[in-house]
Short mmCIF file of all heavy atoms in Angstrom, two decimals:
data_model
loop_
_atom_site.label_atom_id
_atom_site.label_comp_id
_atom_site.label_asym_id
_atom_site.label_seq_id
_atom_site.Cartn_x
_atom_site.Cartn_y
_atom_site.Cartn_z
N MET M 11 -0.30 23.19 14.12
CA MET M 11 0.55 22.87 12.99
C MET M 11 -0.25 22.06 11.97
O MET M 11 -0.87 21.07 12.32
CB MET M 11 1.76 22.07 13.48
CG MET M 11 2.75 21.78 12.43
SD MET M 11 4.22 21.08 13.23
CE MET M 11 5.03 20.46 11.83
N GLN M 12 -0.22 22.48 10.73
CA GLN M 12 -0.97 21.79 9.69
C GLN M 12 -0.18 20.60 9.15
O GLN M 12 1.04 20.62 9.09
CB GLN M 12 -1.25 22.73 8.53
CG GLN M 12 -2.42 23.64 8.76
CD GLN M 12 -2.71 24.43 7.49
OE1 GLN M 12 -1.81 24.94 6.86
NE2 GLN M 12 -3.98 24.50 7.14
N ASN M 13 -0.94 19.57 8.75
CA ASN M 13 -0.32 18.44 8.08
C ASN M 13 0.06 18.85 6.66
O ASN M 13 -0.68 19.59 6.02
CB ASN M 13 -1.29 17.25 8.00
CG ASN M 13 -1.53 16.63 9.36
OD1 ASN M 13 -0.68 16.70 10.23
ND2 ASN M 13 -2.68 16.03 9.53
N PRO M 14 1.20 18.38 6.19
CA PRO M 14 1.58 18.73 4.81
C PRO M 14 0.62 18.09 3.81
O PRO M 14 0.06 17.03 4.06
CB PRO M 14 2.98 18.17 4.67
CG PRO M 14 3.08 17.11 5.71
CD PRO M 14 2.17 17.53 6.82
N THR M 15 0.43 18.74 2.70
CA THR M 15 -0.41 18.20 1.63
C THR M 15 0.46 17.41 0.68
O THR M 15 1.47 17.91 0.18
CB THR M 15 -1.11 19.34 0.87
OG1 THR M 15 -1.90 20.08 1.79
CG2 THR M 15 -1.98 18.80 -0.24
N ILE M 16 0.06 16.18 0.45
CA ILE M 16 0.77 15.31 -0.48
C ILE M 16 -0.18 15.03 -1.63
O ILE M 16 -1.34 14.64 -1.40
CB ILE M 16 1.22 14.01 0.18
CG1 ILE M 16 2.16 14.33 1.35
CG2 ILE M 16 1.90 13.09 -0.82
CD1 ILE M 16 2.51 13.15 2.21
N VAL M 17 0.28 15.20 -2.84
CA VAL M 17 -0.57 15.00 -4.01
C VAL M 17 -0.18 13.69 -4.70
O VAL M 17 0.98 13.45 -4.99
CB VAL M 17 -0.42 16.18 -5.00
CG1 VAL M 17 -1.28 15.96 -6.22
CG2 VAL M 17 -0.78 17.48 -4.30
N PHE M 18 -1.18 12.84 -4.92
CA PHE M 18 -1.00 11.59 -5.64
C PHE M 18 -1.82 11.64 -6.92
O PHE M 18 -2.93 12.19 -6.93
CB PHE M 18 -1.50 10.40 -4.82
CG PHE M 18 -0.62 10.01 -3.68
CD1 PHE M 18 -0.89 10.43 -2.39
CD2 PHE M 18 0.49 9.21 -3.89
CE1 PHE M 18 -0.09 10.07 -1.33
CE2 PHE M 18 1.30 8.83 -2.84
CZ PHE M 18 1.01 9.26 -1.56
N LYS M 19 -1.31 11.05 -7.96
CA LYS M 19 -2.11 10.83 -9.16
C LYS M 19 -2.77 9.47 -9.02
O LYS M 19 -2.25 8.59 -8.34
CB LYS M 19 -1.21 10.83 -10.40
CG LYS M 19 -0.55 12.16 -10.67
CD LYS M 19 0.26 12.05 -11.94
CE LYS M 19 1.55 12.81 -11.77
NZ LYS M 19 2.49 12.54 -12.83
N ALA M 20 -3.89 9.27 -9.68
CA ALA M 20 -4.62 8.00 -9.58
C ALA M 20 -3.73 6.82 -9.97
O ALA M 20 -3.82 5.75 -9.38
CB ALA M 20 -5.86 8.04 -10.45
N GLU M 21 -2.85 7.01 -10.94
CA GLU M 21 -2.00 5.90 -11.39
C GLU M 21 -0.88 5.58 -10.40
O GLU M 21 -0.18 4.58 -10.54
CB GLU M 21 -1.41 6.16 -12.79
CG GLU M 21 -0.59 7.42 -12.90
CD GLU M 21 -1.38 8.64 -13.35
OE1 GLU M 21 -2.62 8.65 -13.30
OE2 GLU M 21 -0.72 9.61 -13.75
N ASP M 22 -0.72 6.41 -9.35
CA ASP M 22 0.28 6.16 -8.31
C ASP M 22 -0.26 5.31 -7.17
O ASP M 22 0.47 4.95 -6.26
CB ASP M 22 0.78 7.48 -7.72
CG ASP M 22 1.54 8.34 -8.71
OD1 ASP M 22 2.07 7.78 -9.69
OD2 ASP M 22 1.58 9.57 -8.51
N LEU M 23 -1.57 5.02 -7.21
CA LEU M 23 -2.23 4.34 -6.10
C LEU M 23 -2.85 3.03 -6.54
O LEU M 23 -3.17 2.83 -7.71
CB LEU M 23 -3.32 5.24 -5.50
CG LEU M 23 -2.85 6.57 -4.95
CD1 LEU M 23 -4.05 7.43 -4.56
CD2 LEU M 23 -1.93 6.37 -3.76
N THR M 24 -3.03 2.14 -5.58
CA THR M 24 -3.69 0.87 -5.83
C THR M 24 -4.54 0.51 -4.63
O THR M 24 -4.40 1.09 -3.55
CB THR M 24 -2.65 -0.24 -6.13
OG1 THR M 24 -3.34 -1.41 -6.59
CG2 THR M 24 -1.81 -0.60 -4.92
N THR M 25 -5.41 -0.46 -4.79
CA THR M 25 -6.26 -0.91 -3.70
C THR M 25 -5.54 -2.01 -2.91
O THR M 25 -4.58 -2.61 -3.40
CB THR M 25 -7.58 -1.49 -4.23
OG1 THR M 25 -7.29 -2.65 -5.02
CG2 THR M 25 -8.35 -0.46 -5.05
N ALA M 26 -6.04 -2.29 -1.72
CA ALA M 26 -5.48 -3.37 -0.91
C ALA M 26 -5.64 -4.71 -1.62
O ALA M 26 -4.73 -5.55 -1.58
CB ALA M 26 -6.15 -3.40 0.46
N LEU M 27 -6.76 -4.91 -2.30
CA LEU M 27 -6.99 -6.17 -3.01
C LEU M 27 -5.98 -6.35 -4.15
O LEU M 27 -5.40 -7.43 -4.30
CB LEU M 27 -8.42 -6.22 -3.55
CG LEU M 27 -8.84 -7.50 -4.25
CD1 LEU M 27 -8.68 -8.71 -3.34
CD2 LEU M 27 -10.26 -7.40 -4.75
N GLU M 28 -5.76 -5.31 -4.92
CA GLU M 28 -4.78 -5.39 -6.02
C GLU M 28 -3.37 -5.56 -5.47
O GLU M 28 -2.56 -6.31 -6.03
CB GLU M 28 -4.87 -4.16 -6.92
CG GLU M 28 -6.11 -4.13 -7.78
CD GLU M 28 -6.20 -5.30 -8.73
OE1 GLU M 28 -5.19 -5.66 -9.35
OE2 GLU M 28 -7.31 -5.86 -8.87
N ALA M 29 -3.06 -4.89 -4.37
CA ALA M 29 -1.74 -5.05 -3.75
C ALA M 29 -1.55 -6.48 -3.28
O ALA M 29 -0.46 -7.05 -3.45
CB ALA M 29 -1.60 -4.08 -2.58
N ALA M 30 -2.59 -7.07 -2.71
CA ALA M 30 -2.50 -8.46 -2.24
C ALA M 30 -2.21 -9.41 -3.41
O ALA M 30 -1.37 -10.31 -3.29
CB ALA M 30 -3.80 -8.86 -1.55
N LYS M 31 -2.89 -9.22 -4.52
CA LYS M 31 -2.65 -10.05 -5.70
C LYS M 31 -1.21 -9.90 -6.17
O LYS M 31 -0.54 -10.89 -6.48
CB LYS M 31 -3.60 -9.66 -6.84
CG LYS M 31 -5.03 -10.07 -6.60
CD LYS M 31 -5.92 -9.58 -7.74
CE LYS M 31 -7.38 -9.84 -7.46
NZ LYS M 31 -8.25 -9.33 -8.54
N TYR M 32 -0.73 -8.68 -6.23
CA TYR M 32 0.64 -8.40 -6.68
C TYR M 32 1.67 -9.02 -5.74
O TYR M 32 2.68 -9.57 -6.18
CB TYR M 32 0.85 -6.89 -6.78
CG TYR M 32 2.23 -6.47 -7.20
CD1 TYR M 32 2.64 -6.60 -8.53
CD2 TYR M 32 3.13 -5.95 -6.29
CE1 TYR M 32 3.90 -6.21 -8.92
CE2 TYR M 32 4.39 -5.56 -6.67
CZ TYR M 32 4.78 -5.70 -7.99
OH TYR M 32 6.04 -5.33 -8.38
N LEU M 33 1.40 -8.94 -4.43
CA LEU M 33 2.33 -9.46 -3.44
C LEU M 33 2.20 -10.96 -3.22
O LEU M 33 3.05 -11.58 -2.58
CB LEU M 33 2.13 -8.73 -2.11
CG LEU M 33 2.51 -7.26 -2.11
CD1 LEU M 33 1.92 -6.56 -0.88
CD2 LEU M 33 4.01 -7.09 -2.17
N GLY M 34 1.12 -11.54 -3.73
CA GLY M 34 0.91 -12.98 -3.57
C GLY M 34 0.49 -13.37 -2.17
O GLY M 34 0.84 -14.44 -1.67
N VAL M 35 -0.29 -12.49 -1.52
CA VAL M 35 -0.78 -12.76 -0.17
C VAL M 35 -2.29 -12.52 -0.13
O VAL M 35 -2.87 -11.96 -1.05
CB VAL M 35 -0.08 -11.85 0.88
CG1 VAL M 35 1.41 -12.12 0.91
CG2 VAL M 35 -0.36 -10.38 0.63
N HIS M 36 -2.92 -12.97 0.94
CA HIS M 36 -4.35 -12.75 1.13
C HIS M 36 -4.57 -11.27 1.46
O HIS M 36 -3.72 -10.64 2.10
CB HIS M 36 -4.86 -13.64 2.27
CG HIS M 36 -6.34 -13.79 2.30
ND1 HIS M 36 -7.14 -12.91 2.99
CD2 HIS M 36 -7.16 -14.69 1.71
CE1 HIS M 36 -8.40 -13.27 2.84
NE2 HIS M 36 -8.44 -14.35 2.06
N PHE M 37 -5.72 -10.74 1.06
CA PHE M 37 -5.97 -9.31 1.30
C PHE M 37 -6.00 -8.97 2.79
O PHE M 37 -5.66 -7.85 3.17
CB PHE M 37 -7.23 -8.82 0.59
CG PHE M 37 -8.52 -9.31 1.18
CD1 PHE M 37 -9.16 -8.57 2.16
CD2 PHE M 37 -9.10 -10.49 0.74
CE1 PHE M 37 -10.35 -9.01 2.71
CE2 PHE M 37 -10.28 -10.94 1.28
CZ PHE M 37 -10.92 -10.20 2.27
N THR M 38 -6.35 -9.93 3.65
CA THR M 38 -6.34 -9.64 5.08
C THR M 38 -4.90 -9.41 5.57
O THR M 38 -4.69 -8.67 6.54
CB THR M 38 -7.01 -10.75 5.91
OG1 THR M 38 -6.38 -11.99 5.64
CG2 THR M 38 -8.49 -10.83 5.60
N THR M 39 -3.94 -10.03 4.92
CA THR M 39 -2.54 -9.79 5.26
C THR M 39 -2.17 -8.35 4.97
O THR M 39 -1.49 -7.70 5.77
CB THR M 39 -1.62 -10.76 4.49
OG1 THR M 39 -1.99 -12.10 4.82
CG2 THR M 39 -0.16 -10.52 4.81
N VAL M 40 -2.63 -7.83 3.84
CA VAL M 40 -2.35 -6.44 3.48
C VAL M 40 -2.98 -5.50 4.52
O VAL M 40 -2.35 -4.55 4.98
CB VAL M 40 -2.85 -6.11 2.06
CG1 VAL M 40 -2.76 -4.62 1.77
CG2 VAL M 40 -2.06 -6.91 1.03
N TYR M 41 -4.21 -5.79 4.95
CA TYR M 41 -4.85 -4.96 5.97
C TYR M 41 -4.09 -5.04 7.30
O TYR M 41 -3.95 -4.04 8.00
CB TYR M 41 -6.32 -5.35 6.17
CG TYR M 41 -7.20 -4.82 5.07
CD1 TYR M 41 -7.72 -5.65 4.09
CD2 TYR M 41 -7.49 -3.46 4.99
CE1 TYR M 41 -8.52 -5.16 3.08
CE2 TYR M 41 -8.29 -2.95 3.98
CZ TYR M 41 -8.80 -3.81 3.03
OH TYR M 41 -9.58 -3.31 2.02
N ARG M 42 -3.58 -6.22 7.65
CA ARG M 42 -2.78 -6.35 8.86
C ARG M 42 -1.50 -5.53 8.76
O ARG M 42 -1.10 -4.84 9.70
CB ARG M 42 -2.47 -7.82 9.15
CG ARG M 42 -1.75 -8.02 10.49
CD ARG M 42 -1.53 -9.47 10.87
NE ARG M 42 -0.67 -10.15 9.92
CZ ARG M 42 -1.05 -11.11 9.08
NH1 ARG M 42 -2.30 -11.52 9.05
NH2 ARG M 42 -0.19 -11.67 8.27
N TRP M 43 -0.86 -5.57 7.58
CA TRP M 43 0.36 -4.78 7.38
C TRP M 43 0.06 -3.28 7.47
O TRP M 43 0.88 -2.52 7.96
CB TRP M 43 1.00 -5.11 6.04
CG TRP M 43 1.64 -6.47 5.99
CD1 TRP M 43 2.02 -7.24 7.05
CD2 TRP M 43 2.00 -7.20 4.82
NE1 TRP M 43 2.58 -8.41 6.60
CE2 TRP M 43 2.58 -8.42 5.24
CE3 TRP M 43 1.88 -6.96 3.46
CZ2 TRP M 43 3.05 -9.37 4.35
CZ3 TRP M 43 2.34 -7.92 2.57
CH2 TRP M 43 2.92 -9.11 3.01
N MET M 44 -1.12 -2.88 7.01
CA MET M 44 -1.51 -1.48 7.14
C MET M 44 -1.69 -1.13 8.63
O MET M 44 -1.22 -0.09 9.10
CB MET M 44 -2.80 -1.20 6.36
CG MET M 44 -2.58 -1.26 4.86
SD MET M 44 -4.03 -1.18 3.75
CE MET M 44 -5.34 -0.54 4.67
N LYS M 45 -2.33 -2.01 9.38
CA LYS M 45 -2.55 -1.79 10.81
C LYS M 45 -1.23 -1.76 11.57
O LYS M 45 -1.05 -0.97 12.50
CB LYS M 45 -3.45 -2.89 11.37
CG LYS M 45 -3.76 -2.76 12.83
CD LYS M 45 -4.61 -3.91 13.32
CE LYS M 45 -4.75 -3.83 14.84
NZ LYS M 45 -5.20 -5.08 15.41
N ASP M 46 -0.29 -2.61 11.16
CA ASP M 46 1.01 -2.72 11.84
C ASP M 46 2.02 -1.67 11.39
O ASP M 46 3.14 -1.62 11.89
CB ASP M 46 1.62 -4.11 11.63
CG ASP M 46 0.83 -5.22 12.31
OD1 ASP M 46 -0.01 -4.91 13.18
OD2 ASP M 46 1.04 -6.40 11.97
N GLY M 47 1.64 -0.83 10.40
CA GLY M 47 2.52 0.24 9.94
C GLY M 47 3.55 -0.19 8.92
O GLY M 47 4.47 0.56 8.60
N ILE M 48 3.41 -1.39 8.38
CA ILE M 48 4.33 -1.86 7.33
C ILE M 48 3.97 -1.19 6.00
O ILE M 48 4.85 -0.83 5.23
CB ILE M 48 4.28 -3.41 7.23
CG1 ILE M 48 4.81 -4.00 8.54
CG2 ILE M 48 5.06 -3.91 6.03
CD1 ILE M 48 4.57 -5.48 8.70
N LEU M 49 2.68 -1.05 5.75
CA LEU M 49 2.18 -0.30 4.60
C LEU M 49 1.41 0.90 5.14
O LEU M 49 0.77 0.82 6.20
CB LEU M 49 1.27 -1.17 3.73
CG LEU M 49 1.95 -2.26 2.92
CD1 LEU M 49 0.91 -3.19 2.30
CD2 LEU M 49 2.83 -1.67 1.84
N HIS M 50 1.47 2.00 4.42
CA HIS M 50 0.86 3.24 4.88
C HIS M 50 -0.28 3.65 3.96
O HIS M 50 -0.03 4.14 2.86
CB HIS M 50 1.93 4.33 4.94
CG HIS M 50 3.08 3.93 5.81
ND1 HIS M 50 4.18 3.28 5.31
CD2 HIS M 50 3.26 4.03 7.14
CE1 HIS M 50 5.01 3.02 6.32
NE2 HIS M 50 4.47 3.46 7.43
N PRO M 51 -1.52 3.41 4.39
CA PRO M 51 -2.67 3.72 3.54
C PRO M 51 -2.86 5.22 3.34
O PRO M 51 -2.52 6.02 4.20
CB PRO M 51 -3.85 3.11 4.29
CG PRO M 51 -3.40 3.05 5.71
CD PRO M 51 -1.91 2.87 5.68
N VAL M 52 -3.40 5.55 2.18
CA VAL M 52 -3.74 6.92 1.84
C VAL M 52 -5.27 7.00 1.82
O VAL M 52 -5.90 6.43 0.94
CB VAL M 52 -3.17 7.31 0.45
CG1 VAL M 52 -3.57 8.71 0.07
CG2 VAL M 52 -1.66 7.11 0.41
N PRO M 53 -5.86 7.67 2.81
CA PRO M 53 -7.33 7.75 2.83
C PRO M 53 -7.84 8.81 1.84
O PRO M 53 -7.38 9.94 1.83
CB PRO M 53 -7.64 8.16 4.27
CG PRO M 53 -6.41 8.86 4.75
CD PRO M 53 -5.26 8.29 3.98
N ILE M 54 -8.76 8.37 1.00
CA ILE M 54 -9.39 9.27 0.04
C ILE M 54 -10.88 8.96 0.02
O ILE M 54 -11.27 7.84 -0.32
CB ILE M 54 -8.80 9.11 -1.38
CG1 ILE M 54 -7.30 9.41 -1.38
CG2 ILE M 54 -9.54 10.00 -2.38
CD1 ILE M 54 -6.61 9.11 -2.70
N ALA M 55 -11.67 9.94 0.40
CA ALA M 55 -13.14 9.82 0.37
C ALA M 55 -13.63 8.54 1.05
O ALA M 55 -14.47 7.83 0.53
CB ALA M 55 -13.64 9.89 -1.07
N GLY M 56 -13.09 8.25 2.22
CA GLY M 56 -13.55 7.10 2.99
C GLY M 56 -12.97 5.76 2.56
O GLY M 56 -13.29 4.74 3.15
N GLN M 57 -12.14 5.74 1.54
CA GLN M 57 -11.49 4.52 1.07
C GLN M 57 -10.00 4.63 1.35
O GLN M 57 -9.45 5.73 1.44
CB GLN M 57 -11.70 4.33 -0.44
CG GLN M 57 -13.15 4.20 -0.85
CD GLN M 57 -13.77 2.91 -0.35
OE1 GLN M 57 -13.15 1.87 -0.35
NE2 GLN M 57 -15.01 3.00 0.10
N HIS M 58 -9.33 3.50 1.48
CA HIS M 58 -7.89 3.49 1.71
C HIS M 58 -7.19 2.93 0.48
O HIS M 58 -7.55 1.86 -0.01
CB HIS M 58 -7.54 2.65 2.94
CG HIS M 58 -7.93 3.32 4.20
ND1 HIS M 58 -9.16 3.13 4.80
CD2 HIS M 58 -7.28 4.21 4.99
CE1 HIS M 58 -9.23 3.86 5.89
NE2 HIS M 58 -8.10 4.53 6.03
N TYR M 59 -6.19 3.64 0.02
CA TYR M 59 -5.39 3.24 -1.12
C TYR M 59 -3.94 3.12 -0.68
O TYR M 59 -3.55 3.63 0.37
CB TYR M 59 -5.52 4.26 -2.25
CG TYR M 59 -6.93 4.34 -2.79
CD1 TYR M 59 -7.84 5.23 -2.24
CD2 TYR M 59 -7.35 3.52 -3.81
CE1 TYR M 59 -9.14 5.30 -2.70
CE2 TYR M 59 -8.65 3.57 -4.29
CZ TYR M 59 -9.54 4.46 -3.73
OH TYR M 59 -10.82 4.52 -4.19
N LEU M 60 -3.14 2.45 -1.49
CA LEU M 60 -1.73 2.27 -1.19
C LEU M 60 -0.89 2.81 -2.34
O LEU M 60 -1.28 2.71 -3.51
CB LEU M 60 -1.42 0.78 -0.99
CG LEU M 60 -2.13 0.14 0.20
CD1 LEU M 60 -2.07 -1.37 0.10
CD2 LEU M 60 -1.53 0.62 1.49
N SER M 61 0.26 3.33 -1.99
CA SER M 61 1.21 3.79 -2.99
C SER M 61 1.77 2.59 -3.74
O SER M 61 2.26 1.64 -3.12
CB SER M 61 2.35 4.55 -2.31
OG SER M 61 3.46 4.63 -3.15
N ILE M 62 1.70 2.62 -5.06
CA ILE M 62 2.25 1.53 -5.86
C ILE M 62 3.75 1.39 -5.62
O ILE M 62 4.26 0.28 -5.51
CB ILE M 62 1.95 1.75 -7.36
CG1 ILE M 62 0.45 1.55 -7.59
CG2 ILE M 62 2.78 0.82 -8.24
CD1 ILE M 62 -0.01 1.84 -8.99
N ASP M 63 4.45 2.51 -5.47
CA ASP M 63 5.89 2.45 -5.21
C ASP M 63 6.18 1.74 -3.88
O ASP M 63 7.12 0.95 -3.79
CB ASP M 63 6.50 3.85 -5.19
CG ASP M 63 6.57 4.47 -6.57
OD1 ASP M 63 6.52 3.73 -7.58
OD2 ASP M 63 6.67 5.71 -6.64
N GLU M 64 5.38 2.01 -2.86
CA GLU M 64 5.57 1.36 -1.57
C GLU M 64 5.30 -0.14 -1.67
O GLU M 64 6.03 -0.95 -1.10
CB GLU M 64 4.67 1.99 -0.51
CG GLU M 64 4.93 1.43 0.87
CD GLU M 64 4.09 2.09 1.95
OE1 GLU M 64 2.93 2.47 1.69
OE2 GLU M 64 4.62 2.23 3.06
N VAL M 65 4.28 -0.52 -2.41
CA VAL M 65 3.95 -1.94 -2.59
C VAL M 65 5.08 -2.65 -3.35
O VAL M 65 5.50 -3.74 -2.98
CB VAL M 65 2.59 -2.10 -3.31
CG1 VAL M 65 2.32 -3.55 -3.67
CG2 VAL M 65 1.47 -1.53 -2.45
N ARG M 66 5.58 -2.01 -4.41
CA ARG M 66 6.69 -2.60 -5.16
C ARG M 66 7.93 -2.76 -4.29
O ARG M 66 8.63 -3.77 -4.36
CB ARG M 66 7.02 -1.74 -6.38
CG ARG M 66 6.00 -1.84 -7.48
CD ARG M 66 6.37 -0.96 -8.64
NE ARG M 66 5.36 -1.03 -9.68
CZ ARG M 66 5.04 -0.04 -10.48
NH1 ARG M 66 5.68 1.12 -10.40
NH2 ARG M 66 4.11 -0.18 -11.40
N SER M 67 8.21 -1.76 -3.47
CA SER M 67 9.36 -1.81 -2.57
C SER M 67 9.21 -2.96 -1.57
O SER M 67 10.18 -3.68 -1.30
CB SER M 67 9.49 -0.48 -1.84
OG SER M 67 10.56 -0.52 -0.95
N LEU M 68 8.02 -3.15 -1.03
CA LEU M 68 7.78 -4.24 -0.10
C LEU M 68 7.99 -5.58 -0.79
O LEU M 68 8.56 -6.50 -0.21
CB LEU M 68 6.38 -4.15 0.50
CG LEU M 68 6.00 -5.26 1.48
CD1 LEU M 68 6.95 -5.30 2.67
CD2 LEU M 68 4.56 -5.08 1.95
N LYS M 69 7.53 -5.70 -2.03
CA LYS M 69 7.70 -6.97 -2.76
C LYS M 69 9.19 -7.27 -2.93
O LYS M 69 9.63 -8.41 -2.70
CB LYS M 69 7.01 -6.92 -4.11
CG LYS M 69 7.13 -8.25 -4.86
CD LYS M 69 6.28 -8.30 -6.09
CE LYS M 69 6.45 -9.67 -6.74
NZ LYS M 69 5.35 -10.01 -7.58
N LYS M 70 9.98 -6.27 -3.31
CA LYS M 70 11.42 -6.48 -3.47
C LYS M 70 12.05 -6.89 -2.14
O LYS M 70 12.90 -7.78 -2.10
CB LYS M 70 12.08 -5.22 -4.01
CG LYS M 70 11.79 -4.96 -5.45
CD LYS M 70 12.46 -3.68 -5.92
CE LYS M 70 12.12 -3.39 -7.36
NZ LYS M 70 12.71 -2.12 -7.82
N LYS M 71 11.63 -6.24 -1.08
CA LYS M 71 12.17 -6.56 0.24
C LYS M 71 11.81 -7.99 0.63
O LYS M 71 12.67 -8.74 1.14
CB LYS M 71 11.61 -5.58 1.27
CG LYS M 71 12.16 -5.73 2.65
CD LYS M 71 11.60 -4.65 3.57
CE LYS M 71 12.15 -4.78 4.97
NZ LYS M 71 11.60 -3.77 5.86
N ARG M 72 10.57 -8.40 0.37
CA ARG M 72 10.14 -9.76 0.71
C ARG M 72 10.86 -10.82 -0.13
O ARG M 72 11.07 -11.92 0.32
CB ARG M 72 8.61 -9.90 0.53
CG ARG M 72 7.83 -9.16 1.60
CD ARG M 72 6.34 -9.23 1.37
NE ARG M 72 5.81 -10.50 0.91
CZ ARG M 72 5.53 -11.55 1.69
NH1 ARG M 72 5.75 -11.47 2.98
NH2 ARG M 72 5.04 -12.66 1.17
N GLU M 73 11.22 -10.44 -1.35
CA GLU M 73 11.95 -11.36 -2.24
C GLU M 73 13.45 -11.35 -1.97
O GLU M 73 14.18 -12.12 -2.57
CB GLU M 73 11.68 -11.01 -3.70
CG GLU M 73 10.25 -11.26 -4.13
CD GLU M 73 9.96 -10.77 -5.53
OE1 GLU M 73 10.75 -9.95 -6.08
OE2 GLU M 73 8.93 -11.18 -6.08
N GLY M 74 13.88 -10.44 -1.11
CA GLY M 74 15.30 -10.36 -0.78
C GLY M 74 16.13 -9.70 -1.85
O GLY M 74 17.35 -9.88 -1.91
N THR M 75 15.50 -8.89 -2.72
CA THR M 75 16.23 -8.23 -3.80
C THR M 75 16.46 -6.76 -3.51
O THR M 75 16.86 -6.02 -4.40
CB THR M 75 15.46 -8.37 -5.14
OG1 THR M 75 14.17 -7.80 -5.01
CG2 THR M 75 15.36 -9.81 -5.57
N LEU M 76 16.24 -6.34 -2.29
CA LEU M 76 16.45 -4.94 -1.95
C LEU M 76 17.67 -4.80 -1.07
O LEU M 76 18.01 -5.62 -0.30
CB LEU M 76 15.21 -4.40 -1.22
CG LEU M 76 15.19 -2.91 -0.94
CD1 LEU M 76 15.14 -2.12 -2.24
CD2 LEU M 76 14.01 -2.56 -0.08
#
């Protein structure tokens, strides 16, 4: 069974470092959340990116506005 293909535009993705700045946490926290399945990295050419929508959703959840 093949994995489905999901297409992202560059503007839909962000780095772990930028996500950490946006969320107000240390970048190692973002990597831990990726490891724990809280955030779902998108691997592209050996690098891991995050969906901006997922990062925004997590921020709202952490702020209690979701």
Side-chain angles (χ1 to χ4, degrees):
M11 184 171 166
Q12 279 186 315
N13 290 333
T15 301
I16 300 172
V17 179
F18 286 98
K19 295 182 219 169
E21 58 267 16
D22 295 337
L23 300 172
T24 190
T25 64
L27 183 58
E28 288 299 317
K31 289 177 186 178
Y32 179 75
L33 293 165
V35 298
H36 197 271
F37 72 91
T38 57
T39 301
V40 171
Y41 283 107
R42 186 175 63 248
W43 289 341
M44 290 172 18
K45 181 182 172 197
D46 293 345
I48 296 169
L49 289 170
H50 304 91
V52 177
I54 300 173
Q57 299 292 321
H58 288 91
Y59 296 90
L60 297 165
S61 161
I62 290 175
D63 289 339
E64 185 177 35
V65 172
R66 287 180 182 148
S67 178
L68 179 60
K69 182 171 181 158
K70 287 179 182 177
K71 184 177 181 181
R72 288 176 40 82
E73 292 174 344
T75 59
L76 187 65

